[in-house]
PDB file of all heavy atoms in Angstrom:
ATOM      1  N   GLU V 140      -2.021  38.207 -27.615  1.00 98.00           N
ATOM      2  CA  GLU V 140      -0.827  37.363 -27.481  1.00 98.00           C
ATOM      3  C   GLU V 140       0.234  37.935 -26.538  1.00 98.00           C
ATOM      4  O   GLU V 140       1.327  37.399 -26.434  1.00 98.00           O
ATOM      5  CB  GLU V 140      -0.229  37.093 -28.871  1.00 98.00           C
ATOM      6  CG  GLU V 140      -1.155  36.234 -29.728  1.00 98.00           C
ATOM      7  CD  GLU V 140      -0.612  35.973 -31.118  1.00 98.00           C
ATOM      8  OE1 GLU V 140      -0.735  36.885 -31.976  1.00 98.00           O
ATOM      9  OE2 GLU V 140      -0.077  34.882 -31.354  1.00 98.00           O
ATOM     10  N   HIS V 141      -0.109  39.029 -25.841  1.00 98.00           N
ATOM     11  CA  HIS V 141       0.859  39.526 -24.852  1.00 98.00           C
ATOM     12  C   HIS V 141       0.955  38.493 -23.723  1.00 98.00           C
ATOM     13  O   HIS V 141      -0.008  37.762 -23.446  1.00 98.00           O
ATOM     14  CB  HIS V 141       0.440  40.903 -24.334  1.00 98.00           C
ATOM     15  CG  HIS V 141      -0.783  40.896 -23.472  1.00 98.00           C
ATOM     16  ND1 HIS V 141      -0.723  40.723 -22.103  1.00 98.00           N
ATOM     17  CD2 HIS V 141      -2.098  40.995 -23.780  1.00 98.00           C
ATOM     18  CE1 HIS V 141      -1.946  40.737 -21.613  1.00 98.00           C
ATOM     19  NE2 HIS V 141      -2.802  40.899 -22.614  1.00 98.00           N
ATOM     20  N   GLY V 142       2.121  38.422 -23.128  1.00 98.00           N
ATOM     21  CA  GLY V 142       2.298  37.495 -21.996  1.00 98.00           C
ATOM     22  C   GLY V 142       2.590  36.062 -22.400  1.00 98.00           C
ATOM     23  O   GLY V 142       2.794  35.208 -21.549  1.00 98.00           O
ATOM     24  N   ILE V 143       2.620  35.791 -23.708  1.00 98.00           N
ATOM     25  CA  ILE V 143       2.936  34.431 -24.181  1.00 98.00           C
ATOM     26  C   ILE V 143       4.436  34.362 -24.496  1.00 98.00           C
ATOM     27  O   ILE V 143       4.981  35.271 -25.124  1.00 98.00           O
ATOM     28  CB  ILE V 143       2.119  34.094 -25.456  1.00 98.00           C
ATOM     29  CG1 ILE V 143       0.632  34.080 -25.125  1.00 98.00           C
ATOM     30  CG2 ILE V 143       2.566  32.765 -26.065  1.00 98.00           C
ATOM     31  CD1 ILE V 143      -0.269  33.883 -26.336  1.00 98.00           C
ATOM     32  N   PHE V 144       5.088  33.306 -24.043  1.00 98.00           N
ATOM     33  CA  PHE V 144       6.512  33.139 -24.351  1.00 98.00           C
ATOM     34  C   PHE V 144       6.662  32.363 -25.657  1.00 98.00           C
ATOM     35  O   PHE V 144       6.145  31.256 -25.791  1.00 98.00           O
ATOM     36  CB  PHE V 144       7.231  32.416 -23.214  1.00 98.00           C
ATOM     37  CG  PHE V 144       7.317  33.261 -21.972  1.00 98.00           C
ATOM     38  CD1 PHE V 144       6.414  33.088 -20.926  1.00 98.00           C
ATOM     39  CD2 PHE V 144       8.276  34.256 -21.860  1.00 98.00           C
ATOM     40  CE1 PHE V 144       6.476  33.888 -19.795  1.00 98.00           C
ATOM     41  CE2 PHE V 144       8.348  35.061 -20.738  1.00 98.00           C
ATOM     42  CZ  PHE V 144       7.441  34.877 -19.701  1.00 98.00           C
ATOM     43  N   PHE V 145       7.361  32.976 -26.602  1.00 98.00           N
ATOM     44  CA  PHE V 145       7.686  32.330 -27.874  1.00 98.00           C
ATOM     45  C   PHE V 145       9.161  31.939 -27.821  1.00 98.00           C
ATOM     46  O   PHE V 145       9.923  32.485 -27.027  1.00 98.00           O
ATOM     47  CB  PHE V 145       7.475  33.311 -29.042  1.00 98.00           C
ATOM     48  CG  PHE V 145       6.049  33.739 -29.231  1.00 98.00           C
ATOM     49  CD1 PHE V 145       5.525  34.833 -28.533  1.00 98.00           C
ATOM     50  CD2 PHE V 145       5.218  33.069 -30.120  1.00 98.00           C
ATOM     51  CE1 PHE V 145       4.205  35.236 -28.710  1.00 98.00           C
ATOM     52  CE2 PHE V 145       3.893  33.473 -30.307  1.00 98.00           C
ATOM     53  CZ  PHE V 145       3.387  34.552 -29.597  1.00 98.00           C
ATOM     54  N   GLU V 146       9.550  31.007 -28.685  1.00 98.00           N
ATOM     55  CA  GLU V 146      10.974  30.732 -28.817  1.00 98.00           C
ATOM     56  C   GLU V 146      11.392  31.052 -30.226  1.00 98.00           C
ATOM     57  O   GLU V 146      10.752  30.617 -31.189  1.00 98.00           O
ATOM     58  CB  GLU V 146      11.272  29.273 -28.503  1.00 98.00           C
ATOM     59  CG  GLU V 146      12.166  29.210 -27.269  1.00 98.00           C
ATOM     60  CD  GLU V 146      12.687  27.834 -26.987  1.00 98.00           C
ATOM     61  OE1 GLU V 146      13.722  27.468 -27.580  1.00 98.00           O
ATOM     62  OE2 GLU V 146      12.036  27.151 -26.183  1.00 98.00           O
ATOM     63  N   LYS V 147      12.433  31.893 -30.348  1.00 96.00           N
ATOM     64  CA  LYS V 147      12.878  32.293 -31.679  1.00 96.00           C
ATOM     65  C   LYS V 147      14.385  32.490 -31.650  1.00 96.00           C
ATOM     66  O   LYS V 147      14.895  33.191 -30.765  1.00 96.00           O
ATOM     67  CB  LYS V 147      12.177  33.607 -32.054  1.00 96.00           C
ATOM     68  CG  LYS V 147      11.909  33.711 -33.524  1.00 96.00           C
ATOM     69  CD  LYS V 147      11.201  34.988 -33.913  1.00 96.00           C
ATOM     70  CE  LYS V 147      11.578  35.333 -35.331  1.00 96.00           C
ATOM     71  NZ  LYS V 147      11.096  36.642 -35.734  1.00 96.00           N
ATOM     72  N   ASN V 148      15.086  31.872 -32.576  1.00 95.00           N
ATOM     73  CA  ASN V 148      16.556  31.983 -32.656  1.00 95.00           C
ATOM     74  C   ASN V 148      17.232  31.747 -31.310  1.00 95.00           C
ATOM     75  O   ASN V 148      18.165  32.466 -30.938  1.00 95.00           O
ATOM     76  CB  ASN V 148      16.984  33.374 -33.162  1.00 95.00           C
ATOM     77  CG  ASN V 148      16.357  33.716 -34.489  1.00 95.00           C
ATOM     78  OD1 ASN V 148      16.032  32.813 -35.269  1.00 95.00           O
ATOM     79  ND2 ASN V 148      16.166  34.997 -34.751  1.00 95.00           N
ATOM     80  N   ASN V 149      16.733  30.785 -30.560  1.00 94.00           N
ATOM     81  CA  ASN V 149      17.298  30.459 -29.247  1.00 94.00           C
ATOM     82  C   ASN V 149      17.058  31.492 -28.161  1.00 94.00           C
ATOM     83  O   ASN V 149      17.691  31.450 -27.115  1.00 94.00           O
ATOM     84  CB  ASN V 149      18.812  30.182 -29.331  1.00 94.00           C
ATOM     85  CG  ASN V 149      19.063  28.784 -29.840  1.00 94.00           C
ATOM     86  OD1 ASN V 149      18.313  27.863 -29.515  1.00 94.00           O
ATOM     87  ND2 ASN V 149      20.098  28.638 -30.641  1.00 94.00           N
ATOM     88  N   PHE V 150      16.178  32.446 -28.423  1.00 97.00           N
ATOM     89  CA  PHE V 150      15.781  33.375 -27.378  1.00 97.00           C
ATOM     90  C   PHE V 150      14.367  33.041 -26.936  1.00 97.00           C
ATOM     91  O   PHE V 150      13.546  32.583 -27.732  1.00 97.00           O
ATOM     92  CB  PHE V 150      15.778  34.827 -27.881  1.00 97.00           C
ATOM     93  CG  PHE V 150      17.116  35.312 -28.326  1.00 97.00           C
ATOM     94  CD1 PHE V 150      17.372  35.541 -29.675  1.00 97.00           C
ATOM     95  CD2 PHE V 150      18.126  35.542 -27.412  1.00 97.00           C
ATOM     96  CE1 PHE V 150      18.614  35.973 -30.101  1.00 97.00           C
ATOM     97  CE2 PHE V 150      19.375  35.987 -27.825  1.00 97.00           C
ATOM     98  CZ  PHE V 150      19.613  36.202 -29.174  1.00 97.00           C
ATOM     99  N   ILE V 151      14.110  33.305 -25.681  1.00 98.00           N
ATOM    100  CA  ILE V 151      12.734  33.270 -25.202  1.00 98.00           C
ATOM    101  C   ILE V 151      12.229  34.697 -25.368  1.00 98.00           C
ATOM    102  O   ILE V 151      12.893  35.643 -24.929  1.00 98.00           O
ATOM    103  CB  ILE V 151      12.697  32.846 -23.716  1.00 98.00           C
ATOM    104  CG1 ILE V 151      13.219  31.427 -23.579  1.00 98.00           C
ATOM    105  CG2 ILE V 151      11.291  32.992 -23.150  1.00 98.00           C
ATOM    106  CD1 ILE V 151      13.537  31.021 -22.158  1.00 98.00           C
TER     107      ILE V 151
END
Side-chain angles (χ1 to χ4, degrees):
E140 293 179 281
H141 70 89
I143 296 175
F144 291 99
F145 296 87
E146 244 189 85
K147 213 179 152 188
N148 304 333
N149 281 324
F150 298 110
I151 296 166

